[in-house]
Amino acid sequence: MLPVFDGLRNITLASVAFRLILSTLCGGIVGMEREFKRRSAGFRTHILICLGAAMTTLTSEFWLVYMRYYLDAARLGAGVVAGMGFIGAGTIIVTRRQRVKGLTTAAGLWTIAIVGLAIGAGFYEGGLLTAGLILLAELLFSKIEYHIMATAPEINLFVEYKDRSALDRVLKLYRDKLIKVSNMEITRQPDSRKNNAACALFTLRLNRHCSAGTLISDVCTTDGVLNVE
C-alpha cells in the first residue's frame, strides 16, 4: 500500500472529507464519459452512486469503531452491491428492433458503486485503480470492440422496407453474395398502416469477401429499402 495514504485510513474528519470528495471525483470522471455519449445514467448519477456507496462503508466503520455496534460490517456494503442490480436494470432496454442497450452503463454503475465502497473503506489504491480501468474500458476498449464487431463473421441486420418485392430483392442480394441467412424475423412498425412499411431482422453469416460495411451499403441502395441498421 502507498504510505501517502496511511494518515487517512482512520476515521477522522479529514479522512471522511477526503473519502467523500475522492468518491465524488471518481464518480464524476466516469460519469462524464457516459454523459458525453448521452447515456441515461450520466454525470450526476455516477456521482451519487459512488458517493452513497462510500458513505455506506463509512457508516459501517463508524458503527464498529465509535459506536461499538459489533455487527457484520460488510452487511451494508452487501446491500449496496445487491441494490445496484435494480438501478442497473433500469438502464437496460430492448428496443423494438430487438437490440439490447444499456448493458455497459449498467455494468459501469455497478462497478462505480464498488469503487465507492473501496474508497469509503480507505482502500484508496484499489478505488483509484479501478476507476482508471473503468475509463480505459469505456474509452479505449470500446474502439477495440467496434473493430471486432466490424470484422465479425456473423452480424444482425435490421432492414425496413416498403413491400414484399423489396424483401425478395434483399434476399436475392444475400444469395448473390453467398451470404448465409441464419435467422430471419419479420415484424411490422406500429405505424405500418399509414406507410405500409415492414421490417425484418436478419442474422447473417458473412464470407471473407464481403464486409459488414459493404453489405449495408448494398442493401441501402436496393430498391424499396427504407432503412438499414
Side-chain angles (χ1 to χ4, degrees), residues 71-86:
L71 304 173
D72 185 3
R75 182 174 297 176
L76 288 180
V80 171
V81 175
M84 280 309 303
F86 292 96

Side-chain angles (χ1 to χ4, degrees), residues 8-83:
L8 296 171
R9 300 194 193 276
N10 296 323
I11 295 293
T12 63
L13 180 59
S15 69
V16 169
F18 179 76
R19 296 181 194 188
L20 295 179
I21 293 173
L22 184 60
S23 63
T24 301
L25 291 175
C26 288
I29 292 172
V30 174
M32 285 178 64
E33 189 275 336
R34 295 284 90 188
E35 192 77 34
F36 179 76
K37 294 183 177 179
R38 299 186 179 275
R39 297 299 186 263
S40 56
F43 183 67
R44 291 179 298 172
T45 304
H46 281 75
I47 287 178
L48 292 176
I49 287 176
C50 193
L51 182 61
M55 193 60 209
T56 299
T57 310
L58 279 168
T59 302
S60 298
E61 192 172 347
F62 179 80
W63 284 352
L64 183 63
V65 174
Y66 286 95
M67 303 301 293
R68 298 294 190 270
Y69 293 161
Y70 295 105
L71 304 173
D72 185 3
R75 182 174 297 176
L76 288 180
V80 171
V81 175

Side-chain angles (χ1 to χ4, degrees), residues 10-217:
N10 296 323
I11 295 293
T12 63
L13 180 59
S15 69
V16 169
F18 179 76
R19 296 181 194 188
L20 295 179
I21 293 173
L22 184 60
S23 63
T24 301
L25 291 175
C26 288
I29 292 172
V30 174
M32 285 178 64
E33 189 275 336
R34 295 284 90 188
E35 192 77 34
F36 179 76
K37 294 183 177 179
R38 299 186 179 275
R39 297 299 186 263
S40 56
F43 183 67
R44 291 179 298 172
T45 304
H46 281 75
I47 287 178
L48 292 176
I49 287 176
C50 193
L51 182 61
M55 193 60 209
T56 299
T57 310
L58 279 168
T59 302
S60 298
E61 192 172 347
F62 179 80
W63 284 352
L64 183 63
V65 174
Y66 286 95
M67 303 301 293
R68 298 294 190 270
Y69 293 161
Y70 295 105
L71 304 173
D72 185 3
R75 182 174 297 176
L76 288 180
V80 171
V81 175
M84 280 309 303
F86 292 96
I87 298 178
T91 67
I92 301 173
I93 60 173
V94 180
T95 67
R96 64 182 181 180
R97 300 174 183 180
Q98 302 302 310
R99 295 181 62 187
V100 179
K101 292 186 176 182
L103 287 175
T104 302
T105 301
L109 290 174
W110 185 84
T111 311
I112 202 66
I114 307 300
V115 171
L117 292 174
I119 293 175
F123 186 23
Y124 306 115
E125 297 87 349
L128 289 172
L129 181 60
T130 303
L133 291 174
I134 293 174
L135 283 175
L136 183 66
E138 293 182 348
L139 292 174
L140 178 61
F141 293 168
S142 62
K143 297 180 180 179
I144 300 176
E145 181 183 8
Y146 294 149
H147 176 72
I148 294 174
M149 292 176 63
T151 57
E154 188 170 288
I155 64 170
N156 293 323
L157 201 64
F158 173 84
V159 179
E160 187 178 354
Y161 55 93
K162 290 183 179 179
D163 48 32
R164 179 57 186 271
S165 61
L167 178 61
D168 292 337
R169 284 189 286 271
V170 172
L171 293 174
K172 183 178 182 301
L173 175 65
Y174 295 156
R175 290 193 298 270
D176 294 341
K177 289 183 171 293
L178 302 178
I179 295 174
K180 180 181 178 182
V181 180
S182 303
N183 185 47
M184 181 176 68
E185 180 181 351
I186 298 177
T187 59
R188 285 193 174 274
Q189 300 283 18
D191 57 349
S192 59
R193 294 182 180 178
K194 297 181 181 180
N195 56 20
N196 197 30
C199 60
L201 184 65
F202 299 97
T203 300
L204 306 174
R205 179 165 290 277
L206 306 179
N207 56 60
R208 60 181 181 179
H209 303 293
C210 181
S211 65
T214 302
L215 177 63
I216 292 175
S217 300

